[in-house]
């Protein structure tokens, strides 16, 4: 029998019953002393070892092995049967591959983390946005039956759509007679926003509340006129004057 | 049981062909199959087949890694193209759910699929992924107070940690339900799970998960 200690990798010779006949110093250091080869094999790899390692037509197999330090790691076993003896060389899974997999896993984790962070940030933003919309259409009581709704920012399709229900239930709950919608702080007007405003005025009117609109900017006059806003609400020039009259 | 769909998906992921893999899934969606069917009857059996091919010495671990990452990609795409549009604009009213794998367990495909099923069913979902030590899991659970926690282990070695996770989480959480699953359950011969109470469900088969989800559905019976 040749001296297996001269081989460049940990190696053993085993018999047909998978008993270890001879081990190199390296193999003993790596896996510790054992009678049967199967003692070194991870529980979940034993069936695979039994099936393929005893087949003389095979020459290579991957198995999870338990080292002397009780670490389970993947080895590629190169083996060859000569008569009743099988020589096995153990090659640990290519470290390069293991390192690459580690890096890929780290990348994956980072992507998942940023995904999670984005989701959480998105939720925070949505909450803030909702709050801003509520504040942009705050309801201010001028008297028990008169309310002022100063609108801030862009009057687009979403602003009143989000606040409509809140405003209407307020009009209903507090039995409001008159409401003043102040457009002085509206930065931009969109047709969809004007339609929403019309809807709001109609709904208030159905509940017996009359709507006044104040603070129209010169640049918004054309668009309001195109939407026949005069048919829906009373326009007033100064808020101060009207408040004095209503309250 | 290998049908043509499973074979096509297995071939696609083993060659790292993301498009071919996605086409198989898209076809199943177009045929009207639900997420439950796609996860349990296409993706899971394909990954089981990949594992079998390694056991049969036909592929290497490198091939397995390629298949896993292609599968990962498919799941991410499924979430964005199929699940998110389906739940868009709907309120997450079913409750809060937290999912992760036990410490040192890197096999997270199963728990990711479970998390997606919960997301589609209307739960708020936090997916903590692979390898979460009990200490972090408890901290997260205590702070967020989920209604249900799903814990997974695949390898027998990692499955041994499950009783301590069950015990730890039951102590931390007063009313939360636990779902325990993963491949290790089908391998463990001994019942080491003495700490089981009626708040813990062992998910051995896809039906177990389906039954639990249907049972906890207040309105009842929506097919996921």
């Amino acid at each position: 029998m040749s001296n297996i200690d001269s081989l460049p990798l940990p190696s053993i010779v085993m018999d047909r019953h998978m008993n270890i006949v001879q081990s190199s110093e390296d193999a003993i250091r790596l896996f510790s002393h054992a009678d049967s080869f199967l003692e070194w094999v991870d529980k979940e790899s034993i069936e695979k070892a039994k099936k393929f390692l005893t087949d003389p037509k095979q020459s290579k197999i991957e198995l999870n092995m338990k080292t002397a330090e009780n670490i389970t790691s993947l080895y590629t076993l190169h083996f060859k049967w000569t008569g009743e003896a099988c020589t096995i060389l153990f090659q640990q899974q290519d470290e390069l591959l293991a390192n690459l997999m580690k890096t890929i896993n780290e990348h994956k984790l980072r992507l998942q983390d940023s995904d999670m962070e984005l989701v959480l940030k998105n939720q925070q933003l949505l909450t803030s946005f909702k709050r801003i919309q509520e504040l942009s259409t705050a309801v201010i009581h001028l008297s028990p039956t008169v309310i002022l709704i100063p609108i801030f920012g862009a009057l687009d399709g979403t602003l009143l759509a989000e606040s409509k229900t809140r405003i209407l239930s307020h009009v209903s709950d507090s039995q409001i007679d008159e409401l003043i919608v102040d457009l002085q702080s509206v930065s931009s007007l969109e047709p969809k926003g004007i339609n929403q405003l019309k809807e709001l005025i109609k709904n208030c009117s159905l509940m017996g509340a009359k709507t006044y609109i104040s603070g129209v900017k010169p640049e918004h006059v054309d668009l309001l006129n195109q939407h026949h806003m005069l048919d829906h609400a009373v326009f007033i020039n100064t808020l101060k004057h009207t408040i004095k009259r209503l309250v | 049981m290998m049908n043509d769909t499973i074979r096509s998906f297995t071939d696609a992921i083993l060659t790292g062909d993301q498009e071919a893999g996605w086409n198989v899934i898209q076809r199943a969606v177009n045929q009207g199959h639900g997420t439950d069917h796609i996860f349990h009857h296409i993706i899971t059996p394909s990954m089981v087949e990949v594992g079998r091919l390694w056991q049969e010495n036909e592929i290497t671990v490198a091939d397995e890694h390629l298949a896993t990452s292609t599968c990962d990609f498919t799941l991410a795409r499924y979430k964005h193209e199929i699940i998110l549009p389906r739940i868009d604009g709907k309120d997450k009213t079913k409750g809060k759910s937290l999912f992760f794998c036990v410490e040192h367990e890197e096999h997270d495909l199963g728990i990711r699929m479970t998390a997606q099923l919960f997301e589609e069913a209307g739960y708020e979902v936090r997916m903590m992924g692979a390898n979460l030590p009990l200490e972090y899991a408890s901290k997260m659970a205590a702070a967020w107070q989920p209604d249900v926690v799903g814990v997974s282990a695949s390898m027998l070695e990692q499955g041994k940690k499950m009783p301590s996770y069950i015990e730890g989480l039951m102590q931390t959480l007063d009313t939360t339900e636990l779902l325990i699953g993963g491949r290790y359950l089908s391998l463990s011969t001994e019942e080491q799970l003495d700490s089981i109470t009626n708040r813990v469900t062992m998910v051995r088969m896809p039906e177990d998960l389906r039954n639990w989800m249907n049972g906890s559905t207040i309105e009842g019976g929506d097919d996921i």
Side-chain angles (χ1 to χ4, degrees), chain B residues 12 14 40 57 67 75 79 95 97 108 138 150 158 168 177 189 196 220:
Chain B
L14 276 172
H40 290 132
N57 215 23
L75 277 183
K79 179 174 166 177
S97 57
D108 64 350
S138 298
Q158 318 312 343
E177 295 227 8
T189 44
I196 290 193

Side-chain angles (χ1 to χ4, degrees), chain A residues 120-176:
Chain A
L120 294 177
K121 285 278 171 239
N122 191 29
Q123 280 171 355
Q124 284 172 3
L125 277 175
L126 281 176
T127 315
S128 308
F129 185 59
K130 226 173 163 178
R131 185 81 192 113
I132 288 171
Q133 286 191 323
E134 281 172 15
L135 290 172
S136 303
T137 54
V139 176
I140 302 165
H141 267 269
L142 299 177
S143 80
T145 58
V146 179
I147 55 172
L148 170 70
I149 303 172
I151 298 182
F152 290 89
L155 184 56
D156 54 14
T158 57
L159 188 60
L160 283 178
E162 291 291 329
S163 331
K164 207 165 75 183
T165 320
R166 183 173 48 85
I167 295 173
L168 286 175
S169 31
H170 194 93
V171 167
S172 157
D173 294 347
S174 309
Q175 296 180 325
I176 300 299

